[in-house]
Amino acid sequence: MSAPLLEVEGLSTHFRTADGAVKAVDDNSFTLGEGEVLGIVGESGSGKSTLLRSVMGLIEDPGEIVDGRIEYRGRDLTTMSDPELRKLRGNDISFVFQEPTAHLNPAYTVGDQITDVLAAHTDLSADERWERVYDLLGRLGIPSPEERAESYPHEFSGGMAQRVCIAMALACEPELLLADEPTSALDVTIQAQIIDLLTELQADLGLSMVWVTHDMGVVAETCDTMGVMYAGNIVEYGSVDAVFDDPKHPYTEALLRTVPSHLDTALRFDTIEGSPPDLGDLPNGCVFQERCPEAMEACCADRPPYYEVGGDSEWLSKCFLHEGEQTRPASPSAPLADSKTDGGHAAEEDDR
């Protein structure tokens, strides 16, 4: 792996409700190298989006990061002040959201919105900012960029609006791009175009990227490493080739079986029996125990640690099947305020 750019250790993000804590993200660790693409994959509701928003510092009340470290170039984001985070966001780390039109202001032209980002984070003159806007829109395949910069968001199709959002995310030339299912709101043809565009931009600009998706095909085609998420937990993490060839966690193995193969002429779809647990009432022990065909007594009593599997210290699996393998050494957590596990707010119903 290349030099670490982003290191996440023991990250937990909970949401306070009247019935207790909803553990949307629960003790997760991963590392992202410079120029690397990490895919976070899992079923809807597994916590993928909350994980990404935690890294970006976008968790709002009643949610809070209750434990763990998020280190970007050695600086712990969980201990930064709001002004420090605002300076970092958009400049060093940028975010591409699922719904492009929901994150563009309908009252301002797209050019004005991109120049606002540049004005907040760079010393470019007004003319230089507009030249950057035209260059970005042209690079992202938007025709007649000088004219389209004067258009309002409602005048763009979904695919073109997403290109504008990507232009805004790349305006200040960030090192790290966080993409939260950026193609889920688009039709299949446009999805492929945006995936190809992001892949090309990542290679050309040397971006590091975390790509959240439910599509295993996207991970296989675009990512170097992958994290498989279930019920708020990254249960397996490793290189894409290794995980696809020889999955170590029973959930990863089951999830891969649900992906149809071009070699299967009958086009059969396997399913995973049962349903994910309630994040507000997780079982003791392994979160996958109730659906796992290989569950043991230990799985019901204790939460498995990360084991180093496949003879690779960067390939991790949370499963007692690897008992006897080296466990990943625990890193000290950042000093965080105590979590409040009761309150009157319900957790938002998005992809937590």
Side-chain angles (χ1 to χ4, degrees):
M1 176 183 289
S2 56
L5 179 72
L6 179 71
E7 295 181 275
V8 174
E9 286 286 348
L11 179 64
S12 295
T13 301
H14 297 175
F15 288 79
R16 300 186 305 276
T17 74
D19 298 321
V22 173
K23 299 178 180 179
V25 173
D26 197 28
D27 189 21
N28 290 283
S29 300
F30 64 85
T31 301
L32 179 72
E34 292 185 7
E36 186 179 49
V37 182
L38 165 65
I40 303 293
V41 67
E43 298 171 77
S44 294
S46 60
K48 305 185 300 296
S49 292
T50 300
L51 177 67
L52 214 59
R53 286 173 176 268
S54 298
V55 172
M56 193 66 172
L58 295 177
I59 300 299
E60 298 179 348
D61 190 70
E64 61 180 332
I65 296 174
V66 299
D67 201 4
R69 295 185 299 113
I70 305 169
E71 289 197 356
Y72 172 75
R73 291 206 174 280
R75 303 171 64 196
D76 191 347
L77 305 188
T78 65
T79 62
M80 282 188 178
S81 65
D82 286 341
E84 289 176 316
L85 283 173
R86 282 195 295 271
K87 184 177 180 181
L88 196 72
R89 286 195 293 257
N91 196 33
D92 298 283
I93 305 173
S94 284
F95 203 103
V96 180
F97 295 91
Q98 290 185 40
E99 293 281 354
T101 53
H103 293 90
L104 292 171
N105 191 323
Y108 295 91
T109 68
V110 299
D112 284 335
Q113 294 184 60
I114 299 173
T115 56
D116 281 348
V117 173
L118 290 166
H121 293 286
T122 73
D123 295 325
L124 296 175
S125 67
D127 287 344
E128 289 171 330
R129 291 197 293 268
W130 280 103
E131 285 302 316
R132 177 74 63 85
V133 169
Y134 303 147
D135 178 67
L136 282 166
L137 295 180
R139 177 178 286 192
L140 286 160
I142 296 177
S144 305
E146 291 86 353
E147 295 178 18
R148 295 300 272 158
E150 301 300 324
S151 300
Y152 290 86
H154 73 271
E155 298 178 278
F156 288 82
S157 66
M160 285 296 172
Q162 190 61 287
R163 290 169 190 258
V164 169
C165 288
I166 294 169
M168 194 177 301
L170 297 179
C172 297
E173 301 179 345
E175 288 187 300
L176 174 59
L177 186 67
L178 308 177
D180 184 11
E181 301 211 48
T183 64
S184 63
L186 309 175
D187 66 48
V188 175
T189 302
I190 305 302
Q191 282 183 18
Q193 293 175 6
I194 296 297
I195 290 168
D196 289 344
L197 176 63
L198 281 171
T199 302
E200 180 181 336
L201 287 168
Q202 186 276 329
D204 289 348
L205 303 175
L207 286 169
S208 300
M209 186 183 300
V210 182
W211 189 307
V212 158
T213 181
H214 61 273
D215 190 331
M216 294 292 254
V218 169
V219 172
E221 292 176 11
T222 65
C223 299
D224 303 301
T225 55
M226 64 186 291
V228 180
M229 201 158 187
Y230 180 80
N233 284 251
I234 294 178
V235 295
E236 184 165 356
Y237 166 83
S239 75
V240 167
D241 290 342
V243 174
F244 270 82
D245 288 345
D246 186 20
K248 299 298 185 183
H249 194 281
Y251 175 66
T252 308
E253 187 176 358
L255 192 63
L256 286 170
R257 286 200 303 267
T258 68
V259 179
S261 169
H262 68 282
L263 299 175
D264 186 355
T265 56
L267 290 178
R268 293 168 297 188
F269 291 84
D270 284 352
T271 59
I272 304 174
E273 295 292 330
S275 301
D278 182 351
L279 296 180
D281 187 24
L282 291 174
N284 293 328
C286 176
V287 293
F288 190 55
Q289 60 178 279
E290 295 175 359
R291 304 174 76 185
C292 181
E294 302 186 68
M296 304 174 286
E297 185 175 344
C299 305
C300 303
D302 299 302
R303 184 69 60 87
Y306 279 115
Y307 291 94
E308 296 176 358
V309 295
D312 183 352
S313 63
E314 298 299 331
W315 189 356
L316 307 175
S317 175
K318 278 186 178 180
C319 183
F320 285 122
L321 289 174
H322 310 301
E323 191 76 54
E325 304 256 8
Q326 176 70 42
T327 57
R328 177 165 180 157
S331 297
S333 296
L336 297 171
D338 291 339
S339 171
K340 299 176 183 178
T341 56
D342 53 21
H345 295 284
E348 297 173 0
E349 293 183 359
D350 63 3
D351 185 2
R352 298 202 199 321

